[in-house]
Amino acid sequence: MVTLVSCKGNKEEKSEPEVSEIKKEEIQAEQLKPQAPPPINEVLAEKGEELFKTKGCIACHTIGKGRITGPDLAGVTKRRKLDWIENQILHPEVMVEKDPIAKELLATYLVKMPNQNVTPEEAQAIIMYLREKDSETGEESEHKEKE
């Protein structure tokens, strides 16, 4: 840090490099803030509901009707970040090996979530469906991670 003291008093002035580094830090911090999710798209949510059934999610999960084999997904968009949900849908075999939450879910439910060969677009539709269901019950939040 470089501090310059002027002859005009005891005012400290920040040097130019320090000012630009502060601006850079502010920009980086702004970029790291979670983005608000897009508004719920009804058409995409309907596609997600169909995929939830046809891709087999419904065999292990309910939404608001309790546990089957896997966890009840009611409120999942409140408990988990949207990118975590997407990764769990797209890469469950990787998540169970590397993610502490996925490991905890395996320890609780004793069944690994199978990879259903969902595309990223299909995953987004399923997430939109989950968001829609959570918003109907007031469960949706700003996709914060459960502490």
Side-chain angles (χ1 to χ4, degrees):
M1 178 171 145
V2 177
T3 304
L4 300 176
V5 179
S6 72
C7 298
K8 296 180 183 175
N10 291 333
K11 260 188 175 175
E12 289 186 13
E13 296 178 10
K14 293 181 180 178
S15 68
E16 196 61 38
E18 185 178 342
V19 171
S20 67
E21 285 199 23
I22 290 172
K23 287 180 182 175
K24 211 185 290 185
E25 288 174 10
E26 288 173 359
I27 290 169
Q28 288 173 342
E30 191 66 33
Q31 291 172 345
L32 294 176
K33 285 184 182 175
Q35 298 284 328
I40 292 175
N41 176 319
E42 299 294 327
V43 173
L44 194 56
E46 284 179 25
K47 181 180 178 187
E49 181 177 14
E50 185 62 29
L51 288 164
F52 191 82
K53 295 172 185 172
T54 60
K55 287 289 186 175
C57 309
I58 201 164
C60 296
H61 301 282
T62 69
I63 300 175
K65 295 184 178 157
R67 174 182 174 172
I68 301 179
T69 305
D72 185 332
L73 296 180
V76 71
T77 63
K78 181 176 183 178
R79 295 188 307 273
R80 306 279 182 255
K81 291 181 181 179
L82 298 181
D83 62 344
W84 186 93
I85 298 169
E86 180 179 26
N87 283 325
Q88 184 65 20
I89 292 169
L90 294 174
H91 312 289
E93 69 287 350
V94 175
M95 292 289 283
V96 78
E97 295 296 324
K98 297 184 178 188
D99 182 77
I101 296 169
K103 288 179 182 182
E104 183 181 316
L105 289 169
L106 175 60
T108 300
Y109 294 95
L110 305 174
V111 176
K112 286 185 180 181
M113 181 171 154
N115 188 323
Q116 301 290 17
N117 297 310
V118 174
T119 68
E121 294 78 20
E122 291 171 333
Q124 287 302 312
I126 293 168
I127 291 167
M128 190 64 69
Y129 169 61
L130 295 171
R131 287 183 57 217
E132 179 184 61
K133 295 302 281 183
D134 286 348
S135 71
E136 289 172 1
T137 60
E139 292 286 340
E140 187 182 36
S141 74
E142 296 178 18
H143 59 88
K144 293 182 180 174
E145 192 70 39
K146 181 180 177 183
E147 297 293 330

